[in-house]
């Protein structure tokens, strides 16, 4: 059995963007809502970390997509299919110009092929080996540099927010 986790830069981009957008809220909220805003911030951080921990398992029998309990509560579904059930891979264009791919089964079901996982080339080789289907046109959903760039900009925003906050505190103390 092999496990394929979500790519680190996908996780880091989502978590750092969440932090960049929400860190200032407890500091700008009024005194009556400060505790609530801090609690909501912590709950949100827990949720975003939790929902980025999806993974794929591949074994000799088949493939399964696993999500956390919170992801399932929020509507994300787990699935499991055997290699024998997969009859084709259907590709559809996205509005951003890339392609998403679906496993099509002999039961007329479609399952989204995970495209944001580590060791993606290994994952594709297992699919090819177990199903004898063509996988040459399958690639990551978005280029990895986009996640790295989003992480960089989010971290840059966080640093800017910290510097601005420190500057504001220092200017208030030097009144």
């Amino acid at each position: 059995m092999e496990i394929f986790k979500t790519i680190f830069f996908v996780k880091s981009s989502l978590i750092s963007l969440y932090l960049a957008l929400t860190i200032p809220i407890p500091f700008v909220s009024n005194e009556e809502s400060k505790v609530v805003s801090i609690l909501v911030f912590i709950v949100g951080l827990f949720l975003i970390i939790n929902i980025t921990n999806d993974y794929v398992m591949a074994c000799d029998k088949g493939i399964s997509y696993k999500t956390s309990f919170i992801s399932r509560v929020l509507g994300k579904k787990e699935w499991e299919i055997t290699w024998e059930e997969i009859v084709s891979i259907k590709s559809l264009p996205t509005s951003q110009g890339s392609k998403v791919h679906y496993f099509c089964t002999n039961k007329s079901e479609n399952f989204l092929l995970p495209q944001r996982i580590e060791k993606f080339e290994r994952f594709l080789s297992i699919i090819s080996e177990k199903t004898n289907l063509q996988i040459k046109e399958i690639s990551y959903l978005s280029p990895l540099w986009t996640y790295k760039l989003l992480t960089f900009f989010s971290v840059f925003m966080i640093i800017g927010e910290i510097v601005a906050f420190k500057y504001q505190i220092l200017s208030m103390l030097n009144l």
Side-chain angles (χ1 to χ4, degrees):
M1 178 183 344
E2 288 191 55
I3 295 177
F4 302 90
K5 297 179 181 180
T6 303
I7 299 170
F8 170 77
F9 281 108
V10 171
K11 289 182 192 183
S12 69
S13 66
L14 294 171
I15 293 168
S16 62
L17 181 61
Y18 172 80
L19 291 172
L21 296 174
T22 59
I23 282 176
I25 294 172
F27 297 103
V28 297
S29 62
N30 59 27
E31 290 302 317
E32 296 85 36
S33 61
K34 198 167 287 283
V35 172
V36 172
S37 67
I38 291 170
L39 289 174
V40 170
F41 169 79
I42 291 168
V43 168
L45 183 60
F46 171 77
L47 290 174
I48 197 76
I49 290 170
N50 193 282
I51 63 175
T52 59
N53 284 326
D54 297 350
Y55 62 95
V56 176
M57 291 187 338
C59 65
D60 289 337
K61 294 180 182 179
I63 182 171
S64 58
Y65 180 78
K66 301 293 183 183
T67 65
S68 67
F69 170 76
I70 292 173
S71 291
R72 288 189 301 278
V73 167
L74 295 174
K76 217 170 192 182
K77 296 187 181 344
E78 291 187 342
W79 51 262
E80 186 171 334
I81 49 178
T82 64
W83 296 118
E84 293 79 29
E85 290 176 300
I86 300 171
V87 293
S88 66
I89 296 176
K90 175 174 48 174
S91 301
L92 297 171
T94 67
S95 59
Q96 292 81 25
S98 59
K99 288 185 179 181
V100 291
H101 308 278
Y102 291 88
F103 293 115
C104 302
T105 69
N106 55 10
K107 299 174 185 173
S108 299
E109 297 175 308
N110 297 314
F111 297 92
L112 185 64
L113 188 147
Q115 291 175 261
R116 294 182 179 120
I117 56 174
E118 295 174 340
K119 303 183 289 184
F120 191 63
E121 296 300 324
R122 172 69 183 137
F123 177 65
L124 291 178
S125 70
I126 292 171
I127 293 170
S128 177
E129 174 187 313
K130 299 292 185 182
T131 64
N132 292 321
L133 295 173
Q134 183 67 282
I135 56 154
K136 288 182 183 175
E137 71 174 53
I138 299 174
S139 64
Y140 285 114
L141 183 58
S142 300
L144 294 182
W145 66 265
T146 59
Y147 298 110
K148 293 176 182 180
L149 187 63
L150 180 57
T151 300
F152 171 77
F153 281 128
S154 298
V155 170
F156 189 68
M157 285 173 55
I158 293 168
I159 292 169
E161 291 164 353
I162 292 169
V163 169
F165 179 72
K166 282 187 173 187
Y167 179 76
Q168 182 182 14
I169 294 295
L170 290 175
S171 65
M172 288 172 54
L173 293 175
N174 290 332
L175 289 176

